[in-house]
Amino acid sequence: MNNSCRRLLPYFLFLLSFPCSASPPQDRLPLPSAIRNPDKQNPELLRLQKLLDSGQLILFYQGADKMRKEAKRYRKKDVTPQELTDGLFLCYMIAKAPFLDLSDYDNVEWVSEYTDLDHTVKEFMSNSIPFIALTDKNSKLPNKEEALRFYLSSAALVIKQFHSQVDYAFEATEICADMLIDYASDMSGEQETKLFNTTSARGARSNNAQYVIKSKERGFIKELMACFPTKAREVRKYLNLAGYEDKEIPALLDRTVGRVPEADYLYKGLPERSD
């Protein structure tokens, strides 16, 4: 057992060095016209953009969390064009920001102490978007449809990113880590601590991501139904952007909105469930 674990140690540590807790390469987001002119942007948001562009992700997420909490005022029905612009800019940055990479042990220590702030910021990104105003037919906001489609694309991307945080083989990873800690005599105390903390952090984030996905799926589909009450193809397009293949959509619909009359149109043209 000791010899087997000793041989496995370099391989397992090599696997842990991969940034599996980071987001996959970012899909391209459509840039709303309202945020294309940097001279018209909120200085606080521009500072956040500099942090993101320079890779200072912890500082970015701390600042974005503060802005996100303040941005709840953007969700009001009578939102102003400038408030909408600010909300879109914040949404854009949060959506395109990568998750913290747990192959960097400094990030492991930070998320262990300060919780998953990057998860929280992305989970509540929608706080910066006035969905009610954007879907109000009487609203006079400029470029309203463009802003709404941008938000739906952002929400889809964030769900896809959370799927990348789920480690479906975590149980095997955890067993292997425990075996190494118990039997690999070549491991130093520092290596054991780092391995345990990294494995624990990844497991906790995987569990949290699954919880977030479950809660966001239902809300996202209801938003899509509100935007496209008769256009199943449009709903399917955004679900595809969120990472769901057509064959997965019937099960997704079943566990969220269910086979109620107002959702019948969403099932048409989709393959039957195989399970």
Side-chain angles (χ1 to χ4, degrees):
M1 179 72 75
N2 286 353
N3 289 336
S4 298
C5 285
R6 191 175 296 113
R7 288 193 297 269
L8 279 171
L9 176 59
Y11 174 71
F12 190 74
L13 293 177
F14 173 71
L15 286 179
L16 283 181
S17 70
F18 276 92
C20 63
S21 291
S23 297
Q26 301 297 298
D27 294 304
R28 186 174 178 83
L29 276 175
L31 191 64
S33 55
I35 65 174
R36 290 176 191 165
N37 187 347
D39 295 334
K40 295 183 179 180
Q41 304 309 324
N42 183 318
E44 289 184 67
L45 292 171
L46 290 174
R47 282 192 287 271
L48 270 186
Q49 185 179 43
K50 288 182 179 179
L51 291 173
L52 179 59
D53 291 345
S54 63
Q56 299 181 70
L57 290 181
I58 288 176
L59 292 176
F60 167 77
Y61 278 114
Q62 288 174 323
D65 184 51
K66 181 180 177 182
M67 293 293 294
R68 175 190 62 80
K69 291 174 181 176
E70 296 175 355
K72 288 183 179 179
R73 65 182 183 273
Y74 300 157
R75 292 183 65 80
K76 61 189 179 182
K77 189 174 181 179
D78 57 344
V79 64
T80 67
Q82 184 59 53
E83 287 172 332
L84 174 61
T85 295
D86 291 348
L88 290 172
F89 192 16
L90 181 58
C91 177
Y92 175 73
M93 288 188 287
I94 293 174
K96 75 173 186 175
F99 283 117
L100 294 175
D101 178 5
L102 295 197
S103 66
D104 182 340
Y105 190 68
D106 287 341
N107 289 339
V108 173
E109 292 185 313
W110 193 85
V111 299
S112 297
E113 183 173 356
Y114 295 102
T115 71
D116 301 308
L117 187 60
D118 53 341
H119 278 200
T120 300
V121 168
K122 282 187 179 284
E123 181 181 3
F124 297 103
M125 175 196 72
S126 59
N127 282 356
S128 68
I129 297 297
F131 185 78
I132 295 176
L134 293 179
T135 53
D136 181 5
K137 294 180 180 180
N138 297 319
S139 172
K140 303 299 183 182
L141 285 170
N143 302 313
K144 186 173 61 175
E145 182 176 350
E146 179 194 39
L148 180 61
R149 287 188 175 274
F150 164 76
Y151 163 67
L152 295 175
S153 297
S154 299
L157 176 57
V158 166
I159 291 175
K160 186 175 183 180
Q161 291 168 343
F162 271 110
H163 276 290
S164 78
Q165 295 281 281
V166 178
D167 182 358
Y168 293 100
F170 177 73
E171 186 174 346
T173 303
E174 188 175 36
I175 290 172
C176 190
D178 289 342
M179 288 173 62
L180 286 169
I181 291 172
D182 289 341
Y183 298 106
S185 58
D186 288 349
M187 290 186 73
S188 66
E190 182 181 3
Q191 283 179 314
E192 287 186 9
T193 298
K194 287 186 175 182
L195 178 56
F196 176 81
N197 290 346
T198 301
T199 304
S200 298
R202 289 188 172 180
R205 284 167 73 80
S206 179
N207 289 336
N208 185 61
Q210 291 180 71
Y211 171 81
V212 172
I213 291 166
K214 185 177 180 180
S215 65
K216 291 190 77 64
E217 283 178 339
R218 183 175 178 82
F220 187 49
I221 290 178
K222 284 192 169 185
E223 288 178 337
L224 291 173
M225 290 175 65
C227 294
F228 311 109
T230 61
K231 299 179 180 179
R233 184 176 296 180
E234 289 288 342
V235 173
R236 194 176 309 163
K237 178 180 77 173
Y238 287 102
L239 293 178
N240 291 156
L241 285 176
Y244 300 97
E245 298 180 9
D246 283 355
K247 64 182 180 182
E248 298 174 298
I249 294 178
L252 172 63
L253 296 174
D254 285 353
R255 67 176 178 263
T256 52
V257 293
R259 293 182 179 268
V260 294
E262 58 267 30
D264 281 347
Y265 75 105
L266 297 176
Y267 287 90
K268 294 177 181 178
L270 288 171
E272 295 290 332
R273 291 185 62 174
S274 58
D275 56 336

